[in-house]
Amino acid sequence: MPTPTSHRYPIGTPGQAWGEAERAQWRARQLRQRSHADDVLARIDALRTRLDVQTYGELRYGSGLHAEERFPLMGLRSRNWQRKLPSVLVTGGVHGYETSGVHGALRFLDAHAGDYAGRVNLLVVPCVSPWAYERIQRWNFDAIDPNRSFKDGSPAQESAALMRLVAQHQTQYGPFAAHIDLHETTDTDESEYRPAVAARDGKVFEPGSIPDGFYLVDDTENPQPAFQQAIIEAVSRVTHIAPADEKNEIIGSPVVAPGVIRYAMKQLGLCAGISGARYTTTTEVYPDSPRATPEQCIAAQVAAVCVAVEFVWGETK
């Protein structure tokens, strides 16, 4: 586990929240490092013969010195949706830099979605934040964290578009039984993103720690311990589960079961709180662990989705 270090973030004045000039400085540092079209859209196109594909919105970013960029927002849905079956929502790439969430969702669709045809309805959004995916960045173009922005009047295009999709889908097809949101915790959370948050908000950076292993975030207002435990057990066969620290915490929250903490999802504006489903969770893998590989992280996400779907199907048989 890395030793946290404190340093002054290179943008902004200590104690002062960022304005547009600081956001522009931050944006200028974000370089395109990979292709959403090649990595995500091409794989979605390959699935069109098996799943219904929907463009549920479009991101538009850039003006002035920045050439406008447009990104289609894509979701994939089970063919022959049946209202009598339980429905599961899967989201990845809310934070674009969390690679295994995007590729875990895509691999699940390719390798396993067909296994659940006629048993469970699926709606999967593999990459909620394509601009951030290309920059390997947590925030969007406007230096906003989408995963704190799933609220009414959201300032994040990504969050607002996904909320509209989910609301429209529930109106047309009925409620979701479960929602699993795929994330990572990385070393850069401590070296880059937490210092950046402090600088952006005019606050003092307080060093923390990075958990070594997989863990889950349950909902404080709607805890589902059996659901979380089923996922932990399945993932433990793929990669290691994060231990509690000396305070019996993970990232500052009490551990309520091995590898499980709880957040107030709706209050914090988290993606996993948008559906109102009975069973919700946020996965967190640790790709920088010396005990895990990128392949294991993707496999862990796939295992988590599979057992979540199977759990819901078992509960409603």
Side-chain angles (χ1 to χ4, degrees), residues 54 77 81 83 87-89 123 162-179 266 271-280:
Q54 176 183 359
R77 186 175 58 247
W81 194 281
R83 280 183 172 268
S87 300
V88 177
L89 173 63
L123 174 62
L162 184 62
M163 291 172 69
R164 286 193 298 270
L165 171 67
V166 170
Q168 292 165 0
H169 202 276
Q170 289 177 315
T171 298
Q172 183 172 0
Y173 296 105
F176 288 101
H179 177 191
K266 290 184 179 179
C271 182
I274 63 176
S275 69
R278 177 179 179 184
Y279 300 108
T280 60

Side-chain angles (χ1 to χ4, degrees), residues 105-127:
L106 289 166
R107 183 178 297 180
F108 165 77
L109 287 169
D110 187 32
H112 299 288
D115 300 341
Y116 303 109
R119 295 194 289 166
V120 175
N121 300 314
L122 297 168
L123 174 62
V124 181
V125 179
C127 189

Side-chain angles (χ1 to χ4, degrees), residues 231-287:
I231 297 173
I232 289 291
E233 288 179 1
V235 172
S236 69
R237 296 191 285 271
V238 178
T239 191
H240 60 291
I241 305 303
D245 63 19
E246 64 278 1
K247 297 180 180 178
N248 195 40
E249 295 178 343
I250 292 177
I251 59 169
S253 295
V255 172
V256 298
V260 181
I261 61 174
R262 291 174 181 159
Y263 276 7
M265 290 182 176
K266 290 184 179 179
Q267 180 181 341
L268 292 172
L270 303 185
C271 182
I274 63 176
S275 69
R278 177 179 179 184
Y279 300 108
T280 60
T281 197
T282 301
T283 67
E284 296 283 356
V285 301
Y286 179 37

Side-chain angles (χ1 to χ4, degrees), residues 139-216:
W139 294 343
N140 70 8
F141 179 90
D142 296 314
I144 295 170
D145 186 341
N147 207 36
R148 296 298 185 273
S149 303
F150 288 94
K151 300 178 180 180
D152 291 342
S154 176
Q157 293 183 40
E158 300 83 354
S159 306
L162 184 62
M163 291 172 69
R164 286 193 298 270
L165 171 67
V166 170
Q168 292 165 0
H169 202 276
Q170 289 177 315
T171 298
Q172 183 172 0
Y173 296 105
F176 288 101
H179 177 191
I180 180 167
D181 189 31
L182 309 179
H183 284 256
E184 294 181 347
T185 301
T186 73
D187 285 351
T188 56
D189 287 4
E190 188 67 14
S191 64
E192 165 66 19
Y193 299 115
R194 291 173 188 166
V197 170
R200 183 196 64 186
D201 298 343
K203 298 179 179 179
V204 175
F205 169 56
E206 297 182 1
S209 61
I210 303 296
D212 186 353
F214 179 94
Y215 64 99
L216 295 172

